[in-house]
Amino acid sequence: GGVTQIVMSQVGAGLAASVGYNNGWRYANLVPACFLVLIGVGLMLFSDDVPEGKFKELYASGQRKKQSYSALIMASGKDPRVWALCFIYGGCFGTEVAMNQQLAPYFFGYFGLSVTNAGWAAAGFGLMNLFARSLGGLISDYMSSRLGHRARHWVLFFTQICSGLMLITFSRQASDNFTGAIIVLLAFSFSVQMAEGATFAIVPYVGKILKALGPVAGIVGAGGNIGAALWGVIYREVSTSDPDPRAPFLVHGFAVLATCLLVPFVHYPSLGSMFFPATETDEKPDVQPAVKMQASAVDEDAPAADVARSA
């Protein structure tokens, strides 16, 4: 995200100088589009389908049996706790996506920076991705090893609360306090991306219980897109009714705080939750797993940072 802000602001400015602003930003979109096509073709040709290998080889060797993907999706889609995680993830990753769209124009219009400098300022938010998201998973692992699985839910709750509070604080920065805004922005980015890692530190265990890790991860991950779309509507509607350009960020911050209220409801008898301990050793779902979870992903003492990093 941070690198994209830097590179695309330079690409956009360069094209605008040669073909004009109205066409420059349109042509700039061709750059990531070409890269996405190349990456997609590369994944299709050279990547494995699952950690164990390619589906065709696994089916031929008998290591894996074909299963109804619709049944696996239903097992995840009918569980309200999965949707709670989906909307929680919308509050953190959806917020990150929204910030990548809103920050550069905000720095340009509110703080009066040039297009290039606004891109550099916005890049600070995305560059925290280099370590903050994985750190959220690592802290979740550490707290779980010390206090048990329920600690993972507390880590998620705390990091999500911090991100909402930091966003509210960012929205209160005056236009003549650019340095303060950047400091708060970095703290906000740090907490929101830790919340992303903390969310996907829980997802593998839910996937294990439902025997549908892929669909669970897919639904929760889609929460980021849902959240980004919702926050985009908020920014558009609030900005049309309130002349203060900081107002959409304030409303967004309180909305993020509201998503924290969903964390206590993510309770499974075999896992426990924020306020209630585990009461069962295992739950018996009626759907077979789509992907066999590796031991490192389901062992309570094993790191979830790898899962968080790929989210």
Side-chain angles (χ1 to χ4, degrees):
V3 174
T4 300
Q5 292 282 0
I6 295 172
V7 173
M8 291 307 298
S9 64
Q10 299 292 331
V11 171
L15 288 172
S18 59
V19 298
Y21 177 79
N22 288 334
N23 290 322
W25 70 267
R26 292 182 171 88
Y27 294 153
N29 286 317
L30 294 175
V31 176
C34 291
F35 277 106
L36 287 171
V37 170
L38 292 174
I39 291 171
V41 172
L43 288 172
M44 182 177 64
L45 296 177
F46 304 112
S47 69
D48 290 335
D49 297 316
V50 291
E52 295 90 340
K54 294 186 178 295
F55 282 138
K56 183 177 180 180
E57 297 170 357
L58 293 172
Y59 293 150
S61 64
Q63 298 179 52
R64 188 183 184 90
K65 294 181 179 179
K66 292 185 178 181
Q67 296 170 317
S68 171
Y69 193 68
S70 60
L72 297 172
I73 293 177
M74 286 298 297
S76 306
K78 68 183 181 182
D79 192 326
R81 296 161 293 189
V82 174
W83 289 102
L85 284 170
C86 171
F87 287 109
I88 292 168
Y89 199 59
C92 50
F93 184 68
T95 293
E96 179 188 346
V97 175
M99 290 301 102
N100 287 334
Q101 297 172 338
Q102 300 294 334
L103 284 175
Y106 180 67
F107 281 123
F108 174 77
Y110 184 65
F111 289 98
L113 302 183
S114 66
V115 172
T116 300
N117 288 338
W120 277 96
F125 180 87
L127 287 173
M128 299 296 283
N129 246 332
L130 294 172
F131 66 93
R133 189 182 300 185
S134 296
L135 184 61
L138 288 170
I139 291 177
S140 181
D141 291 336
Y142 174 76
M143 297 302 294
S144 178
S145 68
R146 296 294 298 272
L147 302 174
H149 180 88
R150 292 170 59 198
R152 295 187 185 276
H153 298 248
W154 280 102
V155 171
L156 173 57
F157 182 80
F158 179 75
T159 53
Q160 192 90 328
I161 282 281
C162 287
S163 64
L165 292 176
M166 287 298 100
L167 180 51
I168 291 172
T169 305
F170 176 74
S171 74
R172 298 298 87 199
Q173 303 304 304
S175 60
D176 59 353
N177 188 24
F178 175 72
T179 301
I182 287 294
I183 293 173
V184 175
L185 178 68
L186 294 179
F188 164 48
S189 177
F190 185 75
S191 57
V192 76
Q193 296 183 63
M194 281 186 63
E196 297 166 13
T199 304
F200 268 83
I202 296 172
V203 165
Y205 301 94
V206 176
K208 178 192 176 185
I209 290 173
L210 298 179
K211 302 299 183 183
L213 175 59
V216 169
I219 290 174
V220 175
N225 302 79
I226 296 172
L230 176 61
W231 307 139
V233 172
I234 287 178
Y235 278 85
R236 185 186 68 229
E237 296 300 322
V238 174
S239 62
T240 57
S241 60
D242 193 322
D244 188 348
R246 302 176 299 173
F249 294 92
L250 179 64
V251 175
H252 187 177
F254 279 108
V256 171
L257 291 181
T259 64
C260 300
L261 300 176
L262 296 172
V263 179
F265 294 98
V266 183
H267 175 86
Y268 289 87
S270 61
L271 297 177
S273 56
M274 283 181 63
F275 301 111
F276 299 99
T279 56
E280 296 179 7
T281 57
D282 196 13
E283 293 190 9
K284 298 179 179 179
D286 56 1
V287 181
Q288 294 300 313
V291 177
K292 183 180 179 181
M293 294 183 63
Q294 296 176 322
S296 61
V298 299
D299 185 346
E300 189 60 31
D301 296 328
D306 291 340
V307 181
R309 191 177 301 112
S310 63

